[in-house]
Amino acid sequence: MILAKKVRIYPTKEQEQKLWQSVGTARFIYNYTLAKQEENYKNGGKFINDGVIRKELTQLKKSELTWLNEVSNNITKQSVKDACKAYKRFFKSLANKPKFKSRKKSKPSFYNDPIKLKVKKKKVLIEKVGWIKINEQIPINVKYNNPRITYDNKYWYLSVGIEVDKKQEELTNISLGIDLGLKELAICSDGKIFKNINKTKK
């Protein structure tokens, strides 16, 4: 079972600059991928697999887009996946055409590889950003799912899914009958009566 957890993070000024750099990279790669898919679609081409675009970006990181090396490679990989997933749904007529992300209107966010996400007492390690303080403890030594860092125009947050074992309820040999009525809301076979609050002044 996946338990959702969202905690506020407290980056230093230097760390916040790196967070913004990661946000900008995620937005750039998402838009780059959409542009490639759209151009290909207009020219009558088929859907471009995300692996093809990632290979192209790997080559561009050695020449035109060297600044991509300053942030986690996992941000680039996931942004390509997110854009391709959105465009594939459009390509299959399952959703409207995805929109490009703008600096002003889109929610600032980026992905962090769950394997690279490290947690200790009141701190988390964001890849290529460093250890950042958090306001609430996240479970340690568990499996994390789809970590995302977001900004709400005031504070930074980390949202993450945490895998926990589903609690198994113990069964008993007790059977319970319930009679629903108008005078009383419910009368149970164990003698418990639930009053009908709709018949009171309150």
Side-chain angles (χ1 to χ4, degrees):
M1 185 171 71
I2 303 295
L3 178 67
K5 187 79 172 177
K6 184 177 181 179
V7 297
R8 184 181 166 190
I9 60 177
Y10 298 86
T12 63
K13 287 185 178 181
E14 292 78 12
Q15 288 174 332
E16 189 167 26
Q17 288 179 347
K18 291 182 180 179
L19 292 177
W20 280 118
Q21 191 175 14
S22 298
V23 165
T25 299
R27 183 178 59 248
F28 173 85
I29 296 298
Y30 185 91
N31 290 342
Y32 177 90
T33 304
L34 281 192
K36 294 290 291 186
Q37 295 284 12
E38 196 161 299
E39 182 184 3
N40 184 61
Y41 179 74
K42 286 179 180 178
N43 292 328
K46 295 183 178 180
F47 176 80
I48 307 173
N49 188 277
D50 63 281
V52 174
I53 297 176
R54 285 188 355 234
K55 284 181 180 178
E56 183 179 309
L57 285 168
T58 299
Q59 294 303 315
L60 288 173
K61 285 170 70 174
K62 299 174 183 178
S63 54
E64 299 172 41
L65 305 177
T66 54
W67 51 270
L68 287 176
N69 295 299
E70 297 175 15
V71 300
S72 166
N73 183 51
N74 291 301
I75 295 174
T76 298
K77 286 168 62 178
Q78 190 62 43
S79 294
V80 172
K81 284 183 179 180
D82 289 345
C84 285
K85 184 178 180 180
Y87 210 85
K88 181 178 278 188
R89 286 180 59 80
F90 160 68
F91 210 83
K92 292 183 176 181
S93 300
L94 297 174
N96 294 328
K97 187 161 67 172
K99 296 179 179 179
F100 289 93
K101 293 186 177 182
S102 69
R103 185 175 297 181
K104 292 182 178 180
K105 293 183 179 180
S106 61
K107 186 176 183 179
S109 66
F110 66 92
Y111 169 88
N112 193 91
D113 186 351
I115 297 175
K116 300 291 179 66
L117 179 69
K118 306 298 180 185
V119 179
K120 62 182 182 182
K121 189 175 180 181
K122 286 294 183 79
K123 283 189 175 182
V124 291
L125 179 65
I126 305 300
E127 196 177 1
K128 289 212 174 183
V129 175
W131 287 98
I132 304 180
K133 292 181 181 179
I134 52 178
N135 70 330
E136 188 181 342
Q137 186 60 49
I138 295 176
I140 301 173
N141 297 325
V142 296
K143 193 172 181 180
Y144 304 112
N145 185 271
N146 195 29
R148 301 271 176 166
I149 289 80
T150 58
Y151 182 69
D152 68 352
N153 294 324
K154 191 174 183 181
Y155 302 120
W156 289 94
Y157 293 93
L158 166 66
S159 300
V160 61
I162 298 167
E163 288 198 13
V164 294
D165 294 330
K166 188 176 181 179
K167 186 179 179 181
Q168 295 291 331
E169 297 292 340
E170 292 186 13
L171 300 178
T172 68
N173 294 322
I174 300 173
S175 296
L176 183 67
I178 302 174
D179 180 28
L180 302 177
L182 297 175
K183 184 179 179 182
E184 308 294 354
L185 178 65
I187 301 175
C188 300
S189 58
D190 62 358
K192 191 176 290 185
I193 298 175
F194 294 87
K195 298 289 183 182
N196 189 345
I197 62 171
N198 293 315
K199 295 179 70 67
T200 64
K201 288 182 179 179
K202 182 179 179 181

